Structure formats: C-alpha cells, structure tokens
Amino acid sequence: QVRLAESGGGLVQAGGSLRLSCGASGSFFSIKTMGWFRQAPGKQRDMVATITGSGITNYADSVKGRFTISRDNGGDTMYLQMNSLKPEDTAVYYCNAITIGQFGLSNSWGQGTQVTVSS
C-alpha cells in the first residue's frame, strides 16, 4: 500500500507564492511518475504538472512559466513551487503517484491540500 502525504497549502494573495510537498511511503519498489492535480468546486480534477523518474516534466498550459515541479534525489518526495498565483488557481491540490510494487503498477492519491488565492 502506498501512502501520499501532502503539505504546504494555504491562503495567499494574488501574485504570491506557495510551495506544496508530497512524500510517498509504504510498500513499493519504485515510483514511475508523480504529479499534481487540482479540483475546483464544481469542476473536474485536472492535471497541473507531472514528473517522471528520469525527470521529464509536463505542465498544464495554464501554469507554464509560473509553476515548477521537482523531486528530491531519493525520488520519494515531490514539490510544486507555485509563483505568480492567480485567483483561478484556487482549488484542492492532490498528489498522485504511479508506483511499481509486488503486484505491478498502482495508482495512488493523497488526501488533498487546499490552495486559496485571494484577489
């Protein structure tokens, strides 16, 4: 079982910055891909950014140039540096990890952390 623990959400004014963290723990051999997704009230959950084990990143167009995804050297902790935040970035942000374990691939989600950007 894979456990993902997020932290770093909060309330910030437009133009400000926040840094989200996500730590993975539990039973797995390696992490294939990690990513951040977000869901605003009444909307679907959308991809924000992803990063592979080799460091290849992918961003939603709406956050390119403002957000940066990264992983630590061990690969089990992921970060999302969010700069120049806008009110439309307000959402619950979820950590996601695709891991390789004893029974193959697993897709896991964190509990979510609220990010609120005031205008």
Side-chain angles (χ1 to χ4, degrees):
Q1 186 173 1
V2 179
R3 291 176 294 277
L4 301 175
E6 300 132 329
S7 62
L11 173 64
V12 65
Q13 288 187 332
S17 299
L18 283 174
R19 189 190 195 209
L20 305 182
S21 300
C22 173
S25 62
S27 179
F28 55 89
F29 298 143
S30 63
I31 300 176
K32 183 176 176 63
T33 301
M34 295 187 80
W36 291 98
F37 291 71
R38 66 187 181 187
Q39 187 168 20
K43 296 188 176 182
Q44 66 180 20
R45 188 175 297 186
D46 292 325
M47 186 274 291
V48 176
T50 61
I51 185 167
T52 68
S54 58
I56 297 172
T57 59
N58 184 40
Y59 295 93
D61 288 342
S62 60
V63 307
K64 283 181 181 177
R66 300 188 298 122
F67 291 10
T68 303
I69 190 171
S70 61
R71 286 169 67 172
D72 66 355
N73 288 335
D76 291 349
T77 303
M78 174 181 63
Y79 306 95
L80 185 68
Q81 178 66 42
M82 303 186 293
N83 298 328
S84 302
L85 283 160
K86 305 175 181 179
E88 50 264 43
D89 294 319
T90 295
V92 177
Y93 284 68
Y94 295 91
C95 173
N96 173 264
I98 298 175
T99 56
I100 300 172
Q102 181 179 2
F103 302 105
L105 292 176
S106 294
N107 187 29
S108 303
W109 293 93
Q111 80 284 357
T113 185
Q114 178 69 47
V115 172
T116 302
V117 184
S118 62
S119 57

